[in-house]
Structures are given as C-alpha cells and as structure tokens.
Amino acid sequence: TFTANLLVQLYGRCGCPEIARQTFDGIRARNSFSWNILMAANAQNGHLENAKSVFDKMPERDVVTWTAMMASFAERGDLFRPKQLFDSMPERNVVSWNVLVGAYAQQDQLESSKGAFFRMPCHSIVSWNSMLTAYAQGQKIDRASEFFESMPQRDAISWNIAISTLAQTGDLLKAKKLLDFMPAVGIVCWTAMVVVNGQLCQLEQAKTIFYSMPDRDDLAGTAMVTAFAQNGDVDSAKAVFDAMPEHSVYAWNALLAAYALNSRSGCAMDIFATTRRTW
RNA sequence: CUACUGGACGAC
C-alpha cells in the first residue's frame, strides 16, 4: 500500500490521473492516504468534479481530505464552497485555516482574511506568509510592510513576498533596501528582481542582477530572455537562451515571444515550426 | 506515503 500510494501520487504528478486511478483500483488495502492522494491527483490535473466524486465516495474523511478539497476549490477562485467545507468539517487544523485565509485573499476579501487570521487558534509560518500575501494582493503595501515587521518569525518566503511586493509597486529603492537586510538572498528573490527591473525598463539593473546571481536556473534564464526582449534587445535574449543548459517549453515560448515582440516574425515562425507539441 | 504561502514564458 505504502509503495502503491507513491505510485498513484507519481502518476498524478505526471499528469496521468487515469493511470493514477487504475493504480489505485489495484490497491487491495487502501488507506486514507490512498484516497487522499487519488483525490489530489484528480484535482491537480484540473478534474475537480472527479476529485469531488472521490471525496463523496471515500469511506472515511480526515482533516487532510477536507482541507485538500477546500484548497482545490479555492484554487479555482471559488470562495463559497471552501467556506462551506470549512464550516462543515468535523475538525480543523492550522492548514485548514491557512487555506481559508488564502481563499479570501484570492477574492480580494482582505478584511475576511484578517478576520480568519486573527481568529485562528495558532499560526504557522505559512499562516503569517499567507496573511502577508493577502495584504500584498489587497494593495495595502504599507500594511504589508508593517505586518512583515511585526512577524514573530520570517523565512525566505516571507522576505521574498515582502521584497517582491515593494518591487512590483515600482518602489525599487525600498525593495533594494530590504534586500540588503535579507539574510541569504536566494534564486527566487533574484529572479523576481530581474523580472521587475526588466518590466520597469531597468535593463542594466536586470542584467547586473542576472549575471551576479550565485546560480541561475531555467526560470531565471527565461526571465532574463523576457527582460531583454521587452527592452528591444533580441540578440542578447537569444544569447541568454543559448547559454541555458536545458530548454523547457517555457524557455522556447519566451524566445518565441521575444521574436514576436520585436517584429522578427520569421524567426518566431521558425521556432514554432521546429519545436514539437508537448500536449 | 497525502492537504496550505514566494520567482519565469505563453494563453485566457
């Protein structure tokens, strides 16, 4: 069962919910993990109705079941059903509350997010980060900064949220100041900085950040390709692309968009013609 | 072994 569960999960992650289902059907001694994983495999591949029917059919539901179902609806922008599930679940844990905070935030109900956050019996670092994100999404930048300052703990994600929030509002100066205080700036944060600098026509800054980053991954490379493209430098975009060790669909899309944006439709068409469909 | 928060392209 243990191993079979892993297999179900694997198929779910690979975008094969049908095979996940078949594997699940072959498990003799299913446990709550098996059911929860099957449900997630459907939800994560967009088959929300299938996920719901698994939810309805399962013999036992635990707090993970209820919370995962809430999260799946919330991800689709539904607020009503997550609320309903939250109210009817037999028990809630900190994750359930976190999902609720996020569900409100996603529907721009900042006050409700706050209400839930301050009503929850205990907070995890994810709770704090979710609330910080809620302020950011509600465009309450000053509030977000205050909240960030008041947090009892901060992890790399908290810093990334705070810095990106400032940067995305165009306040690169404040963002940089905060960046100087961040204990260990990682690839996620650097990439976010490349993106905003590119968007704000700060190509030199974007370049400097990109080339001084301690390491670069595919996401960072894709971001830099786009930053060059947005600022009219297709050749440099191509150079960054060529320097990337691997080319994902995302990277190809970025290069294609780079050509399209800079009126090099011939090159764009070439890429379109030579890449293969991934679906 | 399962559920919640942060970075890239495109589409909407």
Side-chain angles (χ1 to χ4, degrees):
Chain A
T1 301
F2 193 93
T3 319
N5 286 348
L6 282 172
L7 203 54
V8 177
Q9 189 185 12
L10 185 69
Y11 283 121
R13 288 202 205 288
C14 294
C16 307
E18 298 84 4
I19 308 182
R21 172 84 217 193
Q22 288 165 18
T23 310
F24 171 88
D25 287 339
I27 304 177
R28 277 186 293 274
R30 295 168 194 150
N31 60 17
S32 62
F33 287 74
S34 323
W35 285 95
N36 288 340
I37 292 167
L38 178 66
M39 195 180 84
N42 282 286
Q44 285 159 10
N45 289 286
H47 299 176
L48 202 45
E49 290 320 309
N50 291 347
K52 178 64 163 68
S53 79
V54 172
F55 178 88
D56 290 333
K57 275 186 215 137
M58 26 196 313
E60 319 235 291
R61 300 182 191 100
D62 59 17
V63 65
V64 172
T65 318
W66 286 91
T67 305
M69 195 72 249
M70 274 182 76
S72 304
F73 284 126
E75 194 189 359
R76 286 243 178 143
D78 190 350
L79 176 57
F80 179 73
R81 282 194 279 192
K83 267 164 71 179
Q84 207 175 35
L85 288 161
F86 184 84
D87 290 332
S88 43
M89 57 202 286
E91 51 174 335
R92 298 156 194 88
N93 63 15
V94 64
V95 178
S96 329
W97 282 96
N98 293 345
V99 173
L100 187 66
V101 170
Y104 280 126
Q106 204 180 312
Q107 295 305 307
D108 290 311
Q109 310 226 3
L110 179 58
E111 290 306 317
S112 303
S113 287
K114 271 163 76 178
F117 180 82
F118 289 111
R119 244 183 300 126
M120 57 195 288
C122 62
H123 299 110
S124 66
I125 182 66
V126 175
S127 319
W128 290 95
N129 289 343
S130 301
M131 194 59 227
L132 180 57
T133 302
Y135 281 117
Q137 285 175 351
Q139 320 279 345
K140 304 291 184 216
I141 309 308
D142 295 339
R143 280 300 185 161
S145 299
E146 275 174 36
F147 188 80
F148 177 75
E149 298 293 336
S150 77
M151 286 168 58
Q153 277 105 30
R154 301 175 190 97
D155 64 4
I157 296 184
S158 325
W159 284 92
N160 292 342
I161 298 167
I163 294 169
S164 305
T165 301
L166 290 173
Q168 278 160 13
T169 61
D171 202 336
L172 289 180
L173 209 64
K174 271 190 193 163
K176 265 179 223 140
K177 271 187 194 157
L178 197 55
L179 197 61
D180 287 335
F181 286 98
M182 184 168 175
V185 184
I187 192 164
V188 171
C189 204
W190 289 123
T191 304
M193 293 302 286
V194 168
V195 173
V196 287
N197 277 283
Q199 286 168 346
L200 299 172
C201 305
Q202 306 293 318
L203 184 59
E204 288 306 317
Q205 289 287 345
K207 258 159 77 176
T208 306
I209 294 166
F210 181 76
Y211 288 111
S212 53
M213 284 167 67
D215 35 45
R216 291 172 274 279
D217 61 7
D218 191 50
L219 271 68
T222 309
M224 196 61 230
V225 169
T226 302
F228 275 123
Q230 285 167 339
N231 293 276
D233 191 347
V234 218
D235 296 325
S236 300
K238 176 72 162 67
V240 172
F241 177 87
D242 287 337
M244 291 168 64
E246 300 255 300
H247 294 137
S248 66
V249 208
Y250 303 105
W252 284 105
N253 283 344
L255 186 62
L256 173 50
Y259 285 136
L261 193 62
N262 290 279
S263 316
R264 306 260 285 255
S265 48
C267 298
M269 290 305 293
D270 286 347
I271 290 176
F272 188 76
T274 53
T275 50
R276 82 170 193 286
R277 63 197 302 172
T278 55
W279 69 91

